[in-house]
Amino acid sequence: MIYLDDAFRVKVGLAEMLKGGVIMDVTDARQAEIAEKAGACAVMALERVPADIRKEGGVARMAAISKIREIMKTVSIPVMAKVRIGHFAEAQVLEALEVDYIDESEVLTPADEEHHIWKRDFKVPFVCGCRNLGEALRRIAEGAAMIRTKGEAGTGNVVEAVRHMRTVMKEIRTLAVMRQDELLAEAKRLQAPLELVQFVHDNGRLPVPNFSAGGIATPADAALMRQLGAEAVFVGSGIFKSSDPERRARAIVKAATNYNDPKAVLEASEELGEAMPGLDVRTMSESEMLSTRGW
Amino acid sequence: MAVIGVLALQGDYEAHAAALERAGAGPREVRRAADLDGLDGLVIPGGESTSMLRLMEYYGLMPALRAFGASRPVFGTCAGAILLAAEVLNPPQPSLALMDMTVERNAYGRQLDSRVARIAGHELGGGEMEAVFIRAPIIRRAGDGCRVLATYQGNPVLVESDLHLAATFHPELAPDDRIHRRFLDKVRLVQEEARR
């Protein structure tokens, strides 16, 4: 089985090391340095943060190689970078560059509206987004070694992250108590391979770590997602679109670690300035939603 | 039953807690200096050593951890081994300096150089040992107070002093619990000495 071989264990191993931490979106070496100094466990290199992609529109692609290289040279923590859904050639380029993780991300403009990358062909590990258990298991079947439940990136609104984390966790709990003879029908409903459905049923968890991404803007948002089951959090626009990136980065790192300690989250929330401006997801049209990308 | 703390600031502390339970100890998460009270030993897990260092600074944990390690056993894996070392390279950074060794971070390269190795010759007894290396450090120097228990490609990967134990790989990600048992043996020795 894929999740038992050495190559896959090494990919999942790095995701294990990132647990409890905060992975921060950065667009240049200076931001990467701020993130590392604040205690980020990894950085995600991208051309524009989701809030700007949303505002400026156009086609969002993999970041410029010179930028990613500069970030890799500057920090000692793992460097991830995003590719467009299905764009395996962008992924081949990032693997040749030796980034530590690739995010096949709905935040960039999809390059294939039917297929995701066959990630098992790569030595570099991948993280993918999901809105439900079926989507998570399809990505794992393709070779993703880390899952992040999708929020609505670039909105500063945590509602979609909550919706999708609750969905995934509820579906896992439901599966765990099913009878063996119900699993094939459930696999059909989830549109996921039986082998992975069986694993979740037997273990009560995904075969890879499950993080949360999209819409996290405050220390309390990070604590909320951790308590709902996220093993770590990605913060995109939330840090560098706020009025005080350094302090906010530090505060979110503290809250992710102490998510079960309200006094510590209070302490982390004090002295913070303005969070990033938020968007009401309900007023957005379907075409503006990023989290619905992915098949 | 020995009560072993697992530093739970960041990293794979849950995997360590599970390994400790399999080896017969009671794990307890540690996030503050006060959490160290009553512990017989401490594990510093894998993760990002810079993240852990920042959080240790935020919560004033460095002096408390140094004082704990002066009399009680500490076991560090990967980032934990980096934090135990007297000297850290690539880049230089502060550490608890509980073991007389020099450790170079990310010394095999990036994630593409991570691997699972099988180590045959080692001092633990029993057969081959599985070693999961993730963006692993290399112990460049093990001082006089350190005994090398296993090597890989000519470099020490499992090292102990009288009190402490350090691995550059992740025994917590392998089914084999010999290394965690070795640590619990050290904890037991210290407990027995204290009783005498």
Side-chain angles (χ1 to χ4, degrees):
Chain A
M1 276 187 243
I2 169 184
Y3 43 85
L4 295 178
D5 71 34
D6 284 355
F8 196 64
R9 285 174 63 205
V10 161
K11 294 175 178 178
V12 173
L14 182 53
E16 289 285 334
M17 296 312 133
L18 302 175
K19 282 184 176 177
V22 182
I23 301 148
M24 301 183 191
D25 277 3
V26 298
T27 56
D28 58 34
R30 191 192 58 86
Q31 289 186 352
E33 221 176 337
I34 291 172
E36 184 178 48
K37 276 202 180 122
C41 64
V43 290
M44 174 75 72
L46 72 178
E47 201 158 41
R48 295 173 282 169
V49 293
D52 288 334
I53 292 175
R54 198 174 277 292
K55 209 171 358 168
E56 293 158 20
V59 173
R61 306 185 181 90
M62 170 179 81
I65 297 303
S66 58
K67 285 277 182 203
I68 303 174
R69 206 188 280 282
E70 178 190 302
I71 290 166
M72 288 167 67
K73 256 191 228 149
T74 304
V75 296
S76 65
I77 54 180
V79 176
M80 305 185 178
K82 285 184 192 289
V83 298
R84 300 167 66 181
I85 289 175
H87 206 319
F88 55 84
E90 279 188 352
Q92 288 162 351
V93 169
L94 289 185
E95 180 170 69
L97 182 62
E98 299 192 9
V99 300
D100 297 298
Y101 239 96
I102 294 178
D103 184 0
E104 186 183 18
S105 177
E106 68 283 358
V107 167
L108 305 187
T109 311
D112 189 322
E113 296 190 331
E114 194 172 353
H115 311 97
H116 281 253
I117 297 171
W118 184 249
K119 292 165 274 285
R120 296 197 206 184
D121 282 350
F122 289 79
K123 201 176 171 214
V124 65
F126 280 76
V127 51
C128 287
C130 77
R131 278 163 299 162
N132 53 51
L133 183 56
E135 199 176 351
L137 296 182
R138 287 194 294 280
R139 296 297 85 80
I140 296 167
E142 292 157 355
M146 182 203 299
I147 288 295
R148 48 172 181 75
T149 52
K150 295 181 208 170
E152 191 52 39
T155 61
N157 188 343
V158 80
V159 64
E160 295 299 302
V162 168
R163 186 193 322 280
H164 299 140
M165 181 59 75
R166 280 201 184 269
T167 302
V168 170
M169 299 309 279
K170 197 181 289 174
E171 286 179 317
I172 290 175
R173 286 192 298 269
T174 307
L175 190 48
V177 297
M178 278 186 174
R179 283 164 52 102
Q180 180 65 38
D181 59 10
E182 292 168 335
L183 297 188
L184 189 65
E186 183 65 1
K188 181 182 166 198
R189 189 190 72 79
L190 291 169
Q191 299 181 40
L194 178 62
E195 177 193 62
L196 292 172
V197 169
Q198 184 78 50
F199 180 96
V200 176
H201 170 265
D202 295 349
N203 296 278
R205 61 172 177 85
L206 295 178
V208 304
N210 182 20
F211 295 179
S212 173
I216 297 168
T218 68
D221 287 347
L224 175 68
M225 295 317 299
R226 292 276 278 125
Q227 288 185 51
L228 285 174
E231 297 178 283
V233 294
F234 287 80
V235 182
S237 322
I239 289 169
F240 291 101
K241 282 286 156 189
S242 73
S243 63
D244 51 359
E246 285 169 41
R247 266 191 287 175
R248 186 158 296 264
R250 210 158 52 217
I252 294 178
V253 166
K254 288 181 178 179
T257 291
N258 299 291
Y259 64 101
N260 262 333
D261 180 351
K263 277 192 183 147
V265 180
L266 164 69
E267 188 264 331
S269 308
E270 296 208 64
E271 295 174 41
L272 279 184
E274 287 291 310
M276 67 175 285
L279 291 175
D280 186 350
V281 178
R282 285 174 308 173
T283 62
M284 289 164 53
S285 70
E286 180 71 19
S287 64
E288 291 175 273
M289 300 285 279
L290 302 177
S291 64
T292 53
R293 298 166 168 179
W295 355 103
Chain B
M1 189 173 61
V3 182
I4 308 295
V6 183
L7 194 65
L9 297 174
Q10 192 272 323
D12 70 339
Y13 52 87
E14 283 176 351
H16 266 292
L20 285 166
E21 261 172 8
R22 284 198 301 273
R28 210 161 74 190
E29 292 184 359
V30 171
R31 291 186 174 82
R32 292 290 189 285
D35 299 336
L36 293 167
D37 291 346
L39 296 179
D40 302 308
L42 179 75
V43 171
I44 306 181
E48 281 306 314
S49 61
T50 51
S51 293
M52 291 186 211
L53 265 180
R54 282 302 101 73
L55 285 153
M56 284 180 192
E57 287 166 12
Y58 294 158
Y59 296 111
L61 268 169
M62 297 284 278
L65 290 171
R66 281 202 189 102
F68 183 90
S71 63
R72 275 159 294 179
V74 181
F75 173 26
T77 62
C78 196
I82 294 167
L83 291 167
L84 283 175
E87 187 189 16
V88 181
L89 310 171
N90 188 34
Q93 65 183 33
S95 59
L96 298 170
L98 291 170
M99 291 179 80
D100 180 23
M101 57 182 187
T102 302
V103 175
E104 180 185 340
R105 292 180 60 205
N106 300 328
Y108 294 90
R110 305 194 70 93
Q111 170 64 11
L112 286 177
D113 304 295
S114 294
R115 66 198 75 176
V116 181
R118 265 110 200 149
I119 297 175
H122 56 77
E123 307 290 317
L124 288 183
E128 216 173 47
M129 182 173 75
E130 194 183 72
V132 184
F133 291 96
I134 306 288
R135 284 173 46 97
I138 287 181
I139 297 173
R140 292 294 181 197
R141 182 189 63 85
D144 290 341
C146 291
R147 283 182 298 281
V148 176
L149 300 177
T151 59
Y152 171 67
Q153 294 183 340
N155 295 304
V157 291
L158 182 65
V159 168
E160 71 176 0
S161 63
D162 286 343
L163 268 182
H164 310 303
L165 182 62
T168 60
F169 56 96
H170 296 282
E172 72 278 17
L173 296 183
D176 184 347
D177 55 14
R178 273 177 292 179
I179 299 174
H180 283 84
R181 287 184 192 281
R182 174 89 175 196
F183 178 63
L184 295 180
D185 287 344
K186 295 173 88 68
V187 170
R188 211 162 299 125
L189 269 176
V190 172
Q191 283 176 314
E192 277 163 19
E193 265 169 41
R195 247 175 257 135
R196 250 184 259 134

